Amino acid sequence: MALIVQKYGGTSVGSVERIQAVAQRVYKTVKAGNSLVVVVSAMGKTTDGLVKLANEISPNPNRREMDMLLSTGEQVTIALLSMALQELGQPAISMTGAQVGIVTEAEHSRARILHIETTRLTRHINEGKVVVVAGFQGTSSAGEMEITTLGRGGSDTSAVAIAAALRANFCEIYTDVPGILTTDPRLVAEAQLMDAITCNEMLELASLGAKVLHPRAVEIARNYGVPLVVRSSWTDDPGTWVTSAKPQGRSLINLEIARPVDHVEFDTDQAKVALLRVPDKPGVAARLFGEISRQKVDVDLIIQSIHEGNSNDIAFTVTTPILKRAEAVTAAIAPALRSQFNPKFDEAEVMVEHNIAKVSIAGAGMIGRPGVAAKMFATLAAAGVNIQMISTSEVKVSCVVNAAECDRAVSALCTAFEIEAKSKGELLTPNPCTDTINRASFHSSLTPAVRGVALDLNQARLAIRQLPNQPGMAAKLFGLLAQHNISVDMIIQSQRCRVIDGVPRRDIAFTVSQLDGENAKEMLTQVAPELGWGEVVLDSAIAKVSIVGAGMVGQPGVAAKMFEALAEQQINIQMIATSEIKISCVVAQELGVKALQAIHAAFGLAGSEKFVVPA
């Protein structure tokens, strides 16, 4: 007998008929000999309707009262589903988040789960009942017993947290698509269904806007080794498994606010190649990295910051043994880039830097916590370590620093994040997840280089011109954003350095949610004179298109293929940022869908079947 947690989203329970269909599925699962907890969302568009009502009363409703209002949506569903199960002769009981023992922070509208009191839940399961739980909600740990909600994707989060607390055999997420697809079927009807995906790949895709799973739910699954499967509510197809590592013995106390960083990693076998003043035109990155891939040069980080005038800088890191080959390829192509795209340009300059190191912090717990990256930057600043390059993903922040400062940087980060340091030169606490990157294994495996393509149309880009290039500036900048609870996604520091009034300065650009764009610009503009920054520029008309795949490690041509797909459609790349398993490009917002479709086709991800998402 298995203990299973099932979660059904709003479309799956959007009508009486659909609730009855869910009840039939649940009944069938129980009759197969399983114990079941069912987590449900509010019916259909109920939550949207409640928000609309609140806005008709108040343009800025109190967050506590909003939690009180929105939590009622799920209570309707749990009662109706419990009744439907009882009509089938299946004992069932409905429970709110408070009744089931979900204890959260006292943070209205975006609370994180602290722990789950499972005694009452377990008793009902042992009595043979199906427990139907209201997702998206809990109650604060304070004596007031305030109702709290978990924010967007809260029902996913509730379900996986309950599965972790009960040590369930697995958690099924039922939705309106047949599993996890290579991209949004609303944008590419021929999106292909995946049989399985690793937890880190899913974290990246979920964080990039793939709506099938919320990042917080995947984070919990990864941290506690909960096997996840995403299935359709309308069919009996097997769906897609999200594979997790063996549990690490984490405490279930402070479930969502435990240590955000699990690992500190470093690599001293790195060198940086930068190509300065290349034309800001479609096709430049494709030409450069196409030639690099033809020469079998495997690059690690790639960054392209915002343009300056009509030109841009592209920088990448390689391992030391192949530096000379990388430098030769870049030097050979630089004049061609100038003459092909604009013969009036100054010659593109190649800049090579030896003796650098990449230092990274990694952990699924950093998702949605703006203070984690800021703490890393502040720690490096306090240690007197200057940051030369920054690359970010939802589960990792990497900084390129001087190799001579690597030991000091690693030691400071281990102390700050309370991680035990190991001997010099050893990778600190390698990632235990099943998708730990092993370069040798990918060469012989059949793992596709790219598993999925994601599009995010809800970001805005902020750029700060002429930021002083000295330790502590990134810490001040991102510390301020963290204090205002503004989460940052991509962070890119330009390679071009200008000396103004005797101070070396660089531009830095980063992306935030569109909802935070104006507030961030206003706040940063106010402090710019005091901190010696230049102009703060906001652009809300951007799109971020990304590819994700653990199989891209050790395959030099992946980035080039992505850039070539965009160039063929005359789509200019405004920014580039990478991690080991992700490449993201910022393009003009109106070209976002076109960019996604071009990249999806370039990697041959389309299947033979067309998926139609139910209304």
Side-chain angles (χ1 to χ4, degrees):
M1 177 186 289
L3 173 56
I4 303 169
V5 177
Q6 294 183 342
K7 178 263 177 177
Y8 293 90
T11 54
S12 301
V13 291
S15 66
V16 168
E17 293 74 21
R18 290 184 177 181
I19 288 173
Q20 289 171 330
V22 166
Q24 289 284 353
R25 186 185 291 270
V26 171
Y27 182 70
K28 181 179 176 182
T29 305
V30 174
K31 288 306 175 187
N34 302 296
S35 297
L36 214 58
V37 175
V38 180
V39 178
V40 292
S41 299
M43 294 174 64
K45 302 291 184 181
T46 298
T47 302
D48 292 341
L50 293 173
V51 171
K52 184 179 178 182
L53 282 173
N55 290 332
E56 288 175 2
I57 296 291
S58 168
N60 186 27
N62 178 277
R63 283 169 53 193
R64 179 194 180 275
E65 302 308 329
M66 283 299 292
D67 276 3
M68 187 69 76
L69 175 67
L70 297 183
S71 65
T72 64
E74 280 72 18
Q75 292 181 47
V76 173
T77 316
I78 60 173
L80 292 175
L81 180 55
S82 185
M83 292 174 192
L85 286 165
Q86 291 165 11
E87 283 297 305
L88 295 174
Q90 171 58 49
I93 184 170
S94 62
M95 298 178 74
T96 66
Q99 289 173 320
V100 88
I102 297 176
V103 180
T104 75
E105 302 170 299
E107 193 63 59
H108 289 293
S109 79
R110 54 171 182 250
R112 287 181 178 265
I113 297 172
L114 298 177
H115 62 278
I116 301 177
E117 302 282 359
T118 60
T119 305
R120 187 177 180 187
L121 186 58
T122 303
R123 185 178 76 248
H124 288 305
I125 293 170
N126 291 338
E127 291 170 352
K129 297 175 185 174
V130 171
V131 183
V132 185
V133 180
F136 175 67
Q137 62 181 250
T139 184
S140 69
S141 57
E144 290 83 1
M145 295 288 289
E146 290 288 316
I147 291 175
T148 55
T149 63
L150 308 182
R152 190 175 69 84
S155 292
D156 286 356
T157 305
S158 300
V160 182
I162 289 171
L166 291 173
R167 293 180 170 83
N169 294 85
F170 55 91
C171 179
E172 296 178 320
I173 305 291
Y174 285 91
T175 182
D176 54 5
V177 291
I180 298 166
L181 303 171
T182 51
T183 195
D184 188 341
R186 298 168 183 84
L187 302 178
V188 180
E190 298 83 8
Q192 191 171 351
L193 180 66
M194 296 182 238
D195 294 330
I197 187 171
T198 61
C199 51
N200 271 0
E201 289 172 322
M202 191 64 239
L203 267 173
E204 295 286 11
L205 285 172
S207 303
L208 292 165
K211 298 178 179 64
V212 67
L213 274 176
H214 194 272
R216 282 170 61 185
V218 185
E219 171 192 358
I220 297 169
R222 180 182 186 266
N223 285 343
Y224 292 93
V226 177
L228 276 179
V229 59
V230 179
R231 304 180 64 186
S232 170
S233 296
W234 325 112
T235 72
D236 291 323
D237 294 341
T240 305
W241 284 91
V242 182
T243 57
S244 299
K246 184 179 178 181
Q248 296 176 265
R250 279 177 175 261
S251 170
L252 287 164
I253 303 299
N254 292 332
L255 193 146
E256 273 203 282
I257 62 167
R259 188 172 64 196
V261 174
D262 294 320
H263 325 294
V264 174
E265 305 167 2
F266 66 92
D267 184 356
T268 55
D269 189 27
Q270 295 246 324
K272 180 176 71 175
V273 180
L275 195 56
L276 309 184
R277 295 189 299 278
V278 297
D280 184 37
K281 300 284 185 181
V284 172
R287 180 79 187 272
L288 171 61
F289 288 98
E291 188 58 36
I292 285 173
S293 70
R294 281 187 286 275
Q295 298 299 322
K296 306 299 182 187
V297 174
D298 188 18
V299 302
D300 185 2
L301 301 181
I302 303 172
I303 68 163
Q304 176 186 308
S305 191
I306 55 170
H307 64 86
E308 183 173 334
N310 294 318
S311 69
N312 216 321
D313 305 334
I314 300 177
F316 58 92
T317 62
V318 295
T319 57
T320 304
I322 61 172
L323 173 61
K324 289 191 178 298
R325 197 156 83 243
E327 184 179 357
V329 172
T330 309
I333 202 171
L337 290 176
R338 179 199 60 173
S339 59
Q340 178 186 359
F341 292 97
N342 191 340
K344 296 181 181 180
F345 259 75
D346 293 336
E347 177 121 11
E349 176 187 352
V350 178
M351 182 176 70
V352 177
E353 188 163 350
H354 303 260
N355 302 318
I356 64 166
K358 183 176 73 172
V359 180
S360 308
I361 58 171
M366 63 177 67
I367 292 173
R369 301 186 198 182
V372 177
K375 183 175 180 178
M376 180 187 191
F377 303 149
T379 299
L380 294 178
V385 177
N386 195 36
I387 301 169
Q388 300 180 25
M389 293 171 70
I390 299 169
S391 181
T392 59
S393 78
E394 280 295 333
V395 294
K396 181 177 283 191
V397 181
S398 297
C399 295
V400 170
V401 301
N402 190 301
E405 298 174 336
C406 180
D407 285 352
R408 190 162 76 248
V410 169
S411 177
L413 290 171
C414 285
T415 299
F417 290 104
E418 299 179 359
I419 295 171
E420 184 179 352
K422 294 192 177 183
S423 59
K424 181 179 178 181
E426 183 179 357
L427 181 68
L428 300 184
T429 323
N431 187 341
C433 190
T434 50
D435 53 356
T436 299
I437 291 170
N438 181 316
R439 291 179 181 269
S441 69
F442 281 111
H443 289 290
S444 59
S445 74
L446 298 176
T447 305
V450 174
R451 304 303 308 281
V453 186
L455 176 66
D456 190 343
L457 295 170
N458 299 310
Q459 294 211 341
R461 180 182 62 213
L462 282 151
I464 299 181
R465 300 289 188 181
Q466 300 174 11
L467 195 78
N469 184 39
Q470 58 194 37
M473 293 312 298
K476 289 178 182 177
L477 168 58
F478 295 104
L480 281 168
L481 292 168
Q483 288 172 22
H484 288 76
N485 203 36
I486 297 173
S487 291
V488 176
D489 186 10
M490 297 171 67
I491 303 173
I492 303 176
Q493 187 171 268
S494 70
Q495 294 306 294
R496 214 176 306 186
C497 192
R498 297 184 178 277
V499 178
I500 300 174
D501 298 329
V503 179
R505 299 174 182 271
R506 297 181 191 270
D507 297 341
I508 194 165
F510 52 93
T511 60
V512 299
S513 164
Q514 283 181 351
L515 297 174
D516 290 328
E518 289 290 348
N519 288 340
K521 180 186 177 183
E522 182 180 348
M523 182 266 294
L524 294 174
T525 300
Q526 288 176 355
V527 300
E530 176 189 346
L531 296 174
W533 301 341
E535 181 186 11
V536 179
V537 182
L538 173 67
D539 184 357
S540 296
I542 65 165
K544 184 179 73 172
V545 62
S546 308
I547 57 175
V548 172
M552 69 175 65
V553 177
Q555 296 194 35
V558 176
K561 183 180 284 191
M562 180 184 188
F563 302 153
E564 286 163 1
L566 296 175
E568 287 171 4
Q569 299 297 320
Q570 289 298 300
I571 297 173
N572 192 37
I573 300 172
Q574 299 179 18
M575 293 168 68
I576 301 170
T578 68
S579 71
E580 283 88 344
I581 65 171
K582 179 183 74 173
I583 302 172
S584 294
C585 295
V586 169
V587 301
Q589 189 175 64
E590 69 270 16
L591 299 175
V593 173
K594 185 178 180 181
L596 176 138
Q597 292 169 340
I599 293 167
H600 193 269
F603 285 98
L605 296 177
S608 56
E609 182 180 354
K610 290 190 176 184
F611 291 106
V612 178
V613 179

